Amino acid sequence: MTGQDLRTTALHSVHERLGASFTDFAGWSMPVRYSSDLAEHKAVRASAGIFDLSHMGEIFVTGEQCGEYLDYAFAGKLSGIGVGRAKYTLLLQEDGGVIDDLIVNRLDEKRYMVVANASNAEVDAEEMRKRAEDFDVTVTDSSLDYSLIAVQGPESADIVTRGLTSGAEGITAEDIADLKYYRVLQGTYQGDEILVARTGYTGEDGFELYVPNAHAESLWDLMVSTGGDSLVPCGLAARDSLRLEAGMPLYGNELGRDKLPAQSGLEKVVALSSKGDFVGRSGIENTDVSDRPVLVGLTAEGRRAARAGSAVKDSEGTEVGVVTSGALSPTLGHPIAMAFVRPDLNAEGTELVIDVRGKDLPATVTALPFYTRS
């Protein structure tokens, strides 16, 4: 896809004015950085960062049988979440392979919003429509109509509270203060609905704000003017290093159609015992994963970092796995990585070796996440 063919978000001109560098992400021209990856990463850990995530998908499910439908279509028991709550879940193939990982927000009794990864949004929507045939529900892909702005970091609650209480209606400071992790509330912004979810992908406290595209630039400007020097525009490079430190899987790296949830440590996301049949149940129940590679965290010393695709070897030099994500951790100051390795080598403390551009890097299996906010 050429640059002229790439989709752009409603905030593209804002990013250009800020001098962003762009990258092709899933067919979208997205800001990868504005200043430096390190500065943007550290800003989110120390104060707050603002991200344009409008390439993500928003798929709405409405109707009398929302709960039954979602329980059938996804791996988790979603009918049980209350109004104003959100839940992480998986969209599975019949054989149990992962089509996508998503967040489902329950907006009212008969209305849910499913947030999909950018690279999978169209596939997810089509798959969700197929699975809706026997249910009294309507699946509407509104991905191209909505913008998503994330404000993440220890000062995000203060910035979002001051911004929204001055610019939005129906949202009070008490509403935001009471909004716990994985909860969502609704208000009005410039005459249209705004959704405020206390979710994120950075390991910090943070918020994700959903508005129609027409209001994206105004909302971005409101957050930036409210945050002042405490709020730094951040690109996808910082988002990736933040989520790696937080041990969060990335679709295409740690998740995929060729991997079952248990291999990525997500077996608890699959509601085998609390609901009936769903797409992927039989595949998971009839597949022995005991000899399949499993996801682990790896830490090392020094400054050389592994990258996705680096081979992982045992002490005798035999290849036993592959790195899926790796970086020199800006917060911790040493190399970290996630990798799929042979299941008998997944115990914490196991000594392995990563091949980093032809040189051996000793590494230790470490519990995830690498970083947890205090």
Side-chain angles (χ1 to χ4, degrees), residues 229-288:
D229 293 339
S230 297
L231 185 66
V232 174
C234 298
L236 296 186
R239 187 169 185 256
D240 192 53
S241 56
L242 289 159
R243 72 94 194 164
L244 175 56
E245 287 183 348
M248 296 179 174
L250 175 66
Y251 191 86
N253 291 42
E254 286 79 37
L255 301 170
R257 290 175 180 258
D258 61 338
K259 298 178 181 69
L260 270 64
Q263 292 181 254
S264 303
L266 297 177
E267 57 272 25
K268 291 183 179 178
V269 177
V270 184
L272 288 175
S273 61
S274 61
K275 66 176 185 176
D277 192 27
F278 61 91
V279 180
R281 171 185 276 277
S282 62
I284 287 176
E285 289 182 328
N286 295 315
T287 303
D288 180 7

Side-chain angles (χ1 to χ4, degrees), residues 2-321:
T2 68
Q4 292 180 334
D5 297 327
L6 295 176
R7 290 172 171 168
T8 57
T9 74
L11 294 166
H12 191 74
S13 61
V14 174
H15 307 318
E16 288 183 321
R17 288 199 297 273
L18 290 171
S21 300
F22 292 90
T23 187
D24 175 356
F25 189 93
W28 291 81
S29 179
M30 299 300 297
V32 64
R33 67 182 62 81
Y34 301 83
S35 55
S36 82
D37 301 346
L38 184 62
E40 291 169 20
H41 181 111
K42 290 189 172 182
V44 174
R45 292 281 182 250
S47 54
I50 183 168
F51 300 80
D52 177 13
L53 306 179
S54 303
H55 59 322
M56 302 283 283
E58 291 85 16
I59 304 166
F60 290 85
V61 180
T62 56
E64 294 292 333
Q65 291 185 292
C66 282
E68 298 96 314
Y69 161 71
L70 291 168
D71 282 350
Y72 171 73
F74 292 92
K77 186 171 183 179
L78 302 168
S79 61
I81 64 174
V83 173
R85 293 176 179 256
K87 190 168 186 174
Y88 177 82
T89 193
L90 300 169
L91 185 67
L92 302 177
Q93 302 178 136
E94 290 283 359
D95 66 2
V98 179
I99 297 174
D100 202 4
D101 63 326
L102 316 94
I103 294 176
V104 176
N105 298 273
R106 188 169 190 175
L107 304 179
D108 63 35
E109 292 294 335
K110 300 172 185 175
R111 182 173 180 243
Y112 293 72
M113 179 179 69
V114 180
V115 182
N117 281 299
S119 58
N120 294 326
E122 293 182 12
V123 172
D124 293 351
E126 180 59 26
E127 191 63 40
M128 289 172 63
R129 280 192 283 266
K130 290 179 184 175
R131 298 179 187 191
E133 290 177 353
D134 295 329
F135 295 89
D136 182 13
V137 297
T138 300
V139 176
T140 305
D141 183 3
S142 299
S143 300
L144 299 182
D145 302 323
Y146 271 77
S147 293
L148 168 53
I149 296 171
V151 180
Q152 300 278 303
E155 296 188 34
S156 61
D158 176 60
I159 294 167
V160 168
T161 300
R162 288 190 287 120
L164 291 185
T165 52
S166 68
E169 297 178 356
I171 297 175
T172 67
E174 290 74 22
D175 293 334
I176 298 173
D178 291 341
L179 191 68
K180 294 183 170 56
Y181 192 49
Y182 266 69
R183 303 283 180 93
V184 60
L185 61 85
Q186 303 169 64
T188 302
Y189 183 73
Q190 297 187 338
D192 280 318
E193 182 180 57
I194 182 172
L195 303 174
V196 181
R198 201 158 197 164
T199 49
Y201 203 50
T202 62
E204 295 295 337
D205 186 18
F207 298 81
E208 295 184 317
L209 314 176
Y210 300 83
V211 290
N213 289 336
H215 309 308
E217 189 166 337
S218 169
L219 182 61
W220 175 283
D221 290 343
L222 175 63
M223 289 298 124
V224 169
S225 63
T226 304
D229 293 339
S230 297
L231 185 66
V232 174
C234 298
L236 296 186
R239 187 169 185 256
D240 192 53
S241 56
L242 289 159
R243 72 94 194 164
L244 175 56
E245 287 183 348
M248 296 179 174
L250 175 66
Y251 191 86
N253 291 42
E254 286 79 37
L255 301 170
R257 290 175 180 258
D258 61 338
K259 298 178 181 69
L260 270 64
Q263 292 181 254
S264 303
L266 297 177
E267 57 272 25
K268 291 183 179 178
V269 177
V270 184
L272 288 175
S273 61
S274 61
K275 66 176 185 176
D277 192 27
F278 61 91
V279 180
R281 171 185 276 277
S282 62
I284 287 176
E285 289 182 328
N286 295 315
T287 303
D288 180 7
V289 296
S290 62
D291 62 346
R292 292 196 178 194
V294 294
L295 188 67
V296 298
L298 294 171
T299 56
E301 300 298 324
R303 309 293 291 177
R304 288 186 299 133
R307 301 298 181 191
S310 298
V312 180
K313 300 181 287 187
D314 64 14
S315 58
E316 296 179 351
T318 301
E319 191 167 319
V320 296

